[in-house]
Amino acid sequence: MTNQAKAYFYGILTVLMWSTVATAFKISLEYFDVINMLFWSSLTSVVIFIFFLIYQKKILLLRRIKLKDYLNFALLGFLNPFLYYLILFQAYHKLPAQIAQPLNYSWVIVASILALIILKQQIKLLNFIGLSISFIGITIISFSKGSFDNNFAIDGIILALSSSLIWGFYWVLNIKKQFDDIIKLFFNFTFGTIYSLIFIIISGSKLNLNPLGLFSSIYIGTFEMGLTFFTWLLALKYSDNTAKIGNIIYLSPLISMIFITFVLKEEILISSIIGLVFIILGMLIQQIRIKA
């Protein structure tokens, strides 16, 4: 198998795993509250990252971490996974998966705007067009009939869009930190797990040990937060052109709709499909700008 074939294999594998998590979110929320779901899934990801650190013989590199680095990781871990998933899971609790999932992809718009402001990147015409098209898609989904089928829809939309804002801040801050990716993820999720446990204690909640809730949360920690980061890094490593692999990721929300339909039995609305197509089209146009 050639390196590019390996890249496609790991890329498609990652996309397939990521495509199942929106469905897993909704299933887990049937048995767990948001904070228990976050704690157990974050803890699972920490265990996975420890395994990768040992497997890649990077565990000794942890001794080189300085106090200021811990402070940076503490901040990043608060943003993601703690605050980001706390808000995102709540959005999934209030909204149908077919609406919460594409709205979450608005983080690309937020990241582009923050990169323009914080990283001083210049905006070009294609970039502006792409952002505008994606924004149209978000608007279509937000104001569709299906978004207002329950009393909490407006709250859910605000939460879904807010999670994208948090992820955008995390993305911009994270790319400025020059650390090995697995080490960064390990510390971010370790701090996120600690924050989740503190939240459970302070709020007076209890650790839920429901077997089905545990299984679904472990699934999320593995295929949303843990293993997929590693397989995606392998896809980028083996690819002779990251753009070839990068564009595969846009299949994830479309495949996710299939799982939402057949597993969750949600009736997919035309507005959800149209809005999602606009969002993805806007993302692809921004990729053209990057190549130019």
Side-chain angles (χ1 to χ4, degrees), residues 208-264:
N208 193 330
L209 298 176
N210 180 286
L212 293 176
L214 279 174
F215 176 80
S216 54
S217 294
I218 290 172
Y219 183 94
I220 292 167
T222 302
F223 298 111
E224 159 71 4
M225 303 175 178
L227 178 62
T228 41
F229 283 108
F230 185 70
T231 55
W232 184 247
L233 289 174
L234 285 177
L236 295 175
K237 173 184 175 182
Y238 284 117
S239 180
D240 55 20
N241 186 339
T242 56
K244 293 179 180 178
I245 294 300
N247 289 336
I248 293 178
I249 203 68
Y250 302 121
L251 293 174
S252 180
L254 295 174
I255 298 174
S256 182
M257 287 293 186
I258 298 175
F259 288 103
I260 290 170
T261 300
F262 290 100
V263 179
L264 298 180

Side-chain angles (χ1 to χ4, degrees), residues 18 35 39 52 129 135-136 149-150 158 168 178 203 217 240 245 265 269 274 279-280 283:
W18 266 331
I35 190 59
F39 172 75
F52 287 141
I129 293 174
F135 183 78
I136 290 172
D149 282 346
N150 62 71
I158 293 173
Q178 300 300 316
S203 65
S217 294
D240 55 20
I245 294 300
K265 306 300 182 181
L269 303 171
I274 295 175
I279 292 172
I280 295 175
M283 293 177 184

Side-chain angles (χ1 to χ4, degrees), residues 63-253:
R63 296 185 300 179
R64 301 180 184 178
I65 306 299
K66 301 177 182 178
L67 177 59
K68 66 176 183 178
D69 299 323
Y70 282 112
L71 295 176
N72 287 327
F73 289 135
L75 171 61
L76 291 172
F78 179 79
L79 292 175
N80 178 54
F82 178 68
L83 191 58
Y84 169 68
Y85 282 107
L86 189 66
I87 293 176
L88 180 64
F89 291 163
Q90 191 64 34
Y92 270 89
H93 177 66
K94 293 177 177 292
L95 290 171
Q98 64 176 294
I99 293 176
Q101 187 251 14
L103 286 180
N104 181 239
Y105 271 77
S106 63
W107 75 265
V108 178
I109 297 177
V110 175
S112 299
I113 295 173
L114 291 177
L116 172 67
I117 297 172
I118 299 176
L119 302 181
K120 308 300 181 182
Q121 294 182 0
Q122 294 183 344
I123 186 168
K124 296 183 180 180
L125 179 59
L126 280 177
N127 183 244
F128 178 79
I129 293 174
L131 290 174
S132 300
I133 291 175
S134 292
F135 183 78
I136 290 172
I138 292 169
T139 303
I140 291 172
I141 295 171
S142 298
F143 290 94
S144 67
K145 177 181 180 297
S147 298
F148 296 95
D149 282 346
N150 62 71
N151 295 328
F152 303 102
I154 296 178
D155 291 346
I157 291 170
I158 293 173
L159 286 167
L161 295 176
S162 296
S163 70
S164 297
L165 180 63
I166 293 167
W167 179 267
F169 271 110
Y170 169 79
W171 178 81
V172 171
L173 293 175
N174 195 49
I175 63 174
K176 298 176 69 174
K177 307 302 178 185
Q178 300 300 316
F179 277 99
D180 177 88
D181 288 323
I182 298 298
I183 290 177
K184 285 194 292 187
L185 289 168
F186 166 72
F187 279 111
N188 292 351
F189 277 83
T190 297
F191 277 108
T193 303
I194 294 172
Y195 295 142
S196 301
L197 182 59
I198 293 173
F199 187 93
I200 289 174
I201 295 172
I202 293 176
S203 65
S205 301
K206 295 182 180 179
L207 286 177
N208 193 330
L209 298 176
N210 180 286
L212 293 176
L214 279 174
F215 176 80
S216 54
S217 294
I218 290 172
Y219 183 94
I220 292 167
T222 302
F223 298 111
E224 159 71 4
M225 303 175 178
L227 178 62
T228 41
F229 283 108
F230 185 70
T231 55
W232 184 247
L233 289 174
L234 285 177
L236 295 175
K237 173 184 175 182
Y238 284 117
S239 180
D240 55 20
N241 186 339
T242 56
K244 293 179 180 178
I245 294 300
N247 289 336
I248 293 178
I249 203 68
Y250 302 121
L251 293 174
S252 180

